[in-house]
Amino acid sequence: NSKFTMSKDIRIKKGLDIKLVGIADKTTTSSSLSSVYAIKPEDFHGITPKLVAKEGAEVKAGDTLFYSKSDERILFPSPVSGKVTEVIRGARRKVLAIKIAADTKQVHTDFGKVDASKMSAEEVKNHLFSSGCWPFIKQRPYDVVANPNQAPKAIFVSGYASAPLAADLEYTLAGKEAELQAALTAVAKLTEGKVHLSVGADSNSVLSNLSGVEIHKVSGPHPSGNVSTQIANI
């Protein structure tokens, strides 16, 4: 049963907007693939990686490159299909980066299609594990990969970007309502509390019409779009 709560405004007074001349054009172009990609485990705070894909391994986009030493369910996927050309190590053989030479034609691992609204919390969690999506769920404080053994009091999603030259989410998310609703329905299963979704106070965000969340309309200077700022004001 989806619950929809009236919006609650968040007004930030302290902060700074850098007054840059002009704005980004609202056009979409296809960019060419880079020939080499690198994944750095240290970008995921608090993670000690255990390598799965060795040098010379062929991987699809979505295949596991490494997992978390503290919880082997937390998998970190390759963003592209190609060949692992180098594993760069530092002191005490610490993995610093995994380099992948990308295929010209990309091949993706298919994790199947599921209906989150009919799944239990454990089923949603397991699907996020197997598809390599769990590392993108962060826990506060410290912005570390969320501990799957701790149920969060609430989940916070910022749909408002206040940083200078940030992408206009109204434009980039247009037409993706079904995907956004599926994502929010899924993460809502992970908490007994609420899912708080923030949108710009003056925007016509596609996020404003999604169900099962509590909407907050945000206004004020940067960093009003940052999740931490919003959490402190909710």
Side-chain angles (χ1 to χ4, degrees), residues 8-150:
K8 297 181 180 179
D9 293 353
I10 301 172
R11 294 186 184 86
I12 306 298
K13 294 193 174 92
K14 292 182 179 178
L16 178 66
D17 282 333
I18 300 172
K19 303 297 182 186
L20 299 172
V21 177
I23 55 170
D25 291 333
K26 289 181 178 148
T27 56
T28 304
T29 56
S30 295
S31 59
S32 56
L33 274 176
S34 296
S35 57
V36 179
Y37 288 75
I39 306 300
K40 296 183 175 180
E42 64 183 18
D43 287 342
F44 300 92
H45 304 158
I47 293 294
T48 301
K50 296 292 285 183
L51 209 57
V52 173
K54 304 288 196 290
E55 281 186 23
E58 300 279 349
V59 294
K60 294 179 186 175
D63 282 355
T64 302
L65 295 177
F66 60 92
Y67 62 88
S68 170
K69 183 180 179 182
S70 63
D71 192 329
E72 60 187 34
R73 297 173 298 172
I74 302 176
L75 310 177
F76 294 79
S78 175
V80 291
S81 67
K83 186 176 184 177
V84 178
T85 57
E86 187 180 5
V87 176
I88 301 170
R89 295 181 182 269
R92 302 178 70 181
R93 293 185 54 75
K94 179 182 178 181
V95 178
L96 301 180
I98 301 159
K99 282 190 175 180
I100 303 159
D103 293 333
T104 48
K105 187 177 180 185
Q106 287 294 294
V107 184
H108 299 80
T109 300
D110 186 353
F111 295 102
K113 191 174 181 180
V114 294
D115 184 352
S117 65
K118 297 175 181 173
M119 296 167 75
S120 68
E122 205 58 34
E123 287 169 335
V124 167
K125 201 184 284 187
N126 288 334
H127 194 70
L128 291 171
F129 285 142
S130 62
S131 59
C133 290
W134 189 269
F136 301 102
I137 301 175
K138 299 298 183 67
Q139 180 176 320
R140 298 301 170 101
Y142 310 126
D143 194 38
V144 295
V145 174
N147 180 349
N149 301 316
Q150 292 178 345

